[in-house]
Amino acid sequence: MSITVNILYHGRNGAAQAFAREMIDSGTVAAIRAEDGNEAYEYYTPLDDPEAILLIDRWRNQAAIDAHHASPMMKTIAELRDAHDLHMEVRRFTDLDSTEADAKFIRH
């Protein structure tokens, strides 16, 4: 059962975009993607809020998330987040199997 954590970062004057760019350019994102149990680590920009950026962070299980949270990368992430004065909204989801009723709405 995978766990997906959506983190919506809010900033001002392009800070959220700058944070994500720095995470990518510094190699931090690549290092997180290489961690055991990471299944996705991707940034997206909401069309209706250019001062925000959405992180979709997906892990194999809670143990993988716990290992990530205990890693030195969390210090790097926190320092960058603070440097860009970002605030966060966090939502967490677990996978469920699609039901037959859902199938008619899913286009593959």
Side-chain angles (χ1 to χ4, degrees):
M1 171 185 67
S2 294
I3 300 168
T4 301
V5 180
N6 288 356
I7 302 173
L8 186 61
Y9 291 99
H10 297 276
R12 292 185 178 170
N13 302 316
Q17 293 285 328
F19 163 79
R21 177 57 43 210
E22 194 168 345
M23 287 284 293
I24 293 166
D25 292 347
S26 69
T28 303
V29 168
I32 292 168
R33 288 176 178 158
E35 286 184 90
D36 185 41
N38 182 262
E39 298 177 347
Y41 199 91
E42 302 165 341
Y43 289 105
Y44 297 92
T45 303
L47 294 175
D48 61 347
D49 187 355
E51 293 297 336
I53 196 152
L54 173 66
L55 169 63
I56 298 177
D57 190 14
R58 183 178 165 102
W59 298 87
R60 180 177 48 234
N61 53 34
Q62 185 60 49
I65 293 172
D66 292 344
H68 170 65
H69 286 163
S71 77
M73 277 178 275
M74 288 306 297
K75 182 178 184 231
T76 300
I77 294 167
E79 288 171 352
L80 287 174
R81 184 183 61 227
D82 291 347
H84 291 282
D85 193 27
L86 299 180
H87 301 274
M88 305 156 48
E89 292 177 45
V90 180
R91 292 191 173 88
R92 180 182 166 114
F93 307 92
T94 55
D95 287 345
L96 298 174
D97 291 329
S98 294
T99 66
E100 203 171 296
D102 295 329
K104 66 182 175 182
F105 299 105
I106 299 171
R107 183 177 181 195
H108 296 279

